[in-house]
Amino acid sequence: MNWITKIIKAGEKIKTAIHKRASKDDIAKSDWTSCCKGPILKKNLEQNLWVCPDCNKHHKIKPKQRFDIFFGKNNYEIFKTPIPSDDPLNWTDSKSYKDRLKSARNKTGLDCGMMVVSGSIDNIKITAVASDFEFLGASMAAAEGEAFLYGIQHAIENKTPFICFSSGGGMRMMESLISLSQMTRTTLAINELKKNNLPYLVCLTDPTAGGITASYAMLGDLHIAESDHALIAFAGKRVIEGTVKESLPEDFQKSSYVQKTGFVDLIVDRKNLKEKLSIILSILLNKNDAITTEENETSENSQPLTKVAS
């Protein structure tokens, strides 16, 4: 082997090393992730509630991480929800549905894409549900429908408000009509909750789309978007542009735009969500003692002014 051949082979090795991309497992196991200014340590991002300090991007978080932030670390009860039989339609494409479910469960540690819990904030008992985007894109199927209904039933029996942290791309088509029927089932369950005069609040996280937006994510008494950049949509932007033959605004389907059109009531950053929801629930449940006290003090202070004015 002459020196020219050695140089060529060394160059090929360098080229291969440069162009080799990290696998998803490599990225998941790494101490680093990326955002607006490039690499950022995960531990630094975690200290800021998984929100970028520079661009305010709210990175996706798991249900357990969300509830640790919302209720306090491990300060809530996780429920074991019913799991219907897997793969009722024996679905197979490039991979069997059973294998996809097995991989999702191993990856997330969850039996389905939703986690239902019970906890308290400021002495207000709450039933809550959150979706895990890493579980098949947080898509909705029979098991997720059962989890949602379990949470609603628990809220009704225990007379608690119900908070839904929505996420996902829509219905899971590996279960076809069984999946689509969850839109109806969740809607009927929410109606029962409202008949019992219990608040149903929805926190729309990034992304919330498809049949999820078309059902339980848009039936809340109040809709709060987590950050002003959360994607909230039904169909994709390109699909809509192709249908209406028009160009859409750059921020179309971002929560800031959706708020302008009236589908979102509030935009609240993750760090302020617990405080804001506590205030809202205090008002809805007539537990606004602080507000009543403040009003009484204001009323009492105004009496001497009235006498002077008279």
Side-chain angles (χ1 to χ4, degrees), residues 179-189 215:
S179 173
L180 289 172
S181 69
Q182 307 311 314
M183 297 172 68
T184 306
R185 297 181 76 214
T186 53
T187 300
L188 293 172
S215 57

Side-chain angles (χ1 to χ4, degrees), residues 277-294:
L277 284 171
S278 174
I279 293 169
I280 291 169
L281 287 173
S282 294
I283 295 169
L284 292 176
L285 297 170
N286 294 320
K287 293 186 177 181
N288 49 335
D289 295 335
I291 297 172
T292 305
T293 303
E294 188 178 340

Side-chain angles (χ1 to χ4, degrees), residues 105-119:
R105 285 166 180 163
N106 290 336
K107 184 178 182 180
T108 62
L110 300 177
D111 292 328
C112 73
M114 279 186 171
M115 179 183 283
V116 182
V117 305
S118 176

Side-chain angles (χ1 to χ4, degrees), residues 297-310:
E297 288 175 355
T298 306
S299 178
E300 289 171 3
N301 292 337
S302 66
Q303 287 178 4
L305 296 175
T306 307
K307 290 179 181 178
V308 172
S310 61

Side-chain angles (χ1 to χ4, degrees), residues 12-293:
E12 287 175 351
K13 287 181 180 179
I14 293 169
K15 186 177 179 181
T16 302
I18 291 172
H19 288 281
K20 184 181 178 182
R21 291 190 175 185
S23 66
K24 289 183 179 180
D25 287 338
D26 292 336
I27 295 170
K29 293 174 183 176
S30 172
D31 293 332
W32 296 82
T33 187
S34 61
C35 201
C36 57
K37 292 187 177 180
I40 181 172
L41 276 168
K42 288 180 180 177
K43 65 178 182 180
N44 293 339
L45 198 61
E46 184 178 6
Q47 288 171 0
N48 200 42
L49 306 183
W50 299 96
V51 177
C52 178
D54 296 309
C55 67
N56 200 43
K57 177 183 176 180
H58 285 53
H59 288 250
K60 295 182 184 71
I61 56 176
K62 294 176 174 293
K64 199 169 190 312
Q65 292 172 319
R66 182 172 297 284
F67 293 135
D68 281 346
I69 294 169
F70 193 69
F71 292 116
K73 192 168 181 64
N74 298 322
N75 193 28
Y76 49 89
E77 180 185 0
I78 301 173
F79 296 121
K80 182 78 173 175
T81 58
I83 301 296
S85 60
D86 291 344
D87 198 9
L89 304 178
N90 295 317
W91 179 280
T92 300
D93 41 52
S94 60
K95 192 176 181 181
S96 74
Y97 180 37
K98 285 183 179 179
D99 286 342
R100 292 185 189 277
L101 285 172
K102 185 178 179 180
S103 298
R105 285 166 180 163
N106 290 336
K107 184 178 182 180
T108 62
L110 300 177
D111 292 328
C112 73
M114 279 186 171
M115 179 183 283
V116 182
V117 305
S118 176
S120 298
I121 54 171
D122 297 332
N123 296 318
I124 301 173
K125 290 184 178 180
I126 294 167
T127 306
V129 63
S131 299
D132 191 335
F133 196 80
E134 290 190 358
F135 196 105
L136 299 177
S139 52
M140 191 81 173
E144 287 72 24
E146 290 295 329
F148 192 94
L149 266 62
Y150 184 97
I152 292 286
Q153 187 64 37
H154 180 272
I156 292 172
E157 289 176 356
N158 293 273
K159 295 181 171 54
T160 70
F162 190 82
I163 297 178
C164 172
F165 294 94
S166 68
S167 176
M171 301 296 112
R172 191 180 304 158
M173 287 296 93
M174 290 86 159
E175 294 191 21
S176 189
L177 291 177
I178 297 172
S179 173
L180 289 172
S181 69
Q182 307 311 314
M183 297 172 68
T184 306
R185 297 181 76 214
T186 53
T187 300
L188 293 172
I190 292 165
N191 286 342
E192 288 300 313
L193 186 76
K194 293 182 178 181
K195 285 179 184 177
N196 284 270
N197 298 316
L198 295 168
Y200 174 58
L201 306 183
V202 180
C203 179
L204 299 147
T205 74
D206 181 55
T208 298
I212 292 172
T213 308
S215 57
Y216 65 87
M218 280 295 166
L219 294 173
D221 299 310
L222 201 68
H223 299 105
I224 301 170
E226 185 185 55
S227 90
D228 55 0
H229 288 91
L231 175 69
I232 303 168
F234 177 60
K237 183 178 178 180
R238 285 183 296 177
V239 173
I240 297 172
E241 286 181 328
T243 303
V244 300
K245 310 299 180 186
E246 291 181 13
S247 295
L248 298 170
E250 186 66 29
D251 61 347
F252 182 71
Q253 296 180 330
K254 294 296 183 182
S255 52
S256 54
Y257 184 91
V258 179
Q259 184 186 32
K260 293 175 186 176
T261 57
F263 288 95
V264 166
D265 299 298
L266 294 171
I267 295 175
V268 182
D269 282 354
R270 189 174 288 162
K271 63 182 179 182
N272 300 321
L273 199 56
K274 177 179 178 179
E275 180 185 2
K276 184 67 71 174
L277 284 171
S278 174
I279 293 169
I280 291 169
L281 287 173
S282 294
I283 295 169
L284 292 176
L285 297 170
N286 294 320
K287 293 186 177 181
N288 49 335
D289 295 335
I291 297 172
T292 305
T293 303

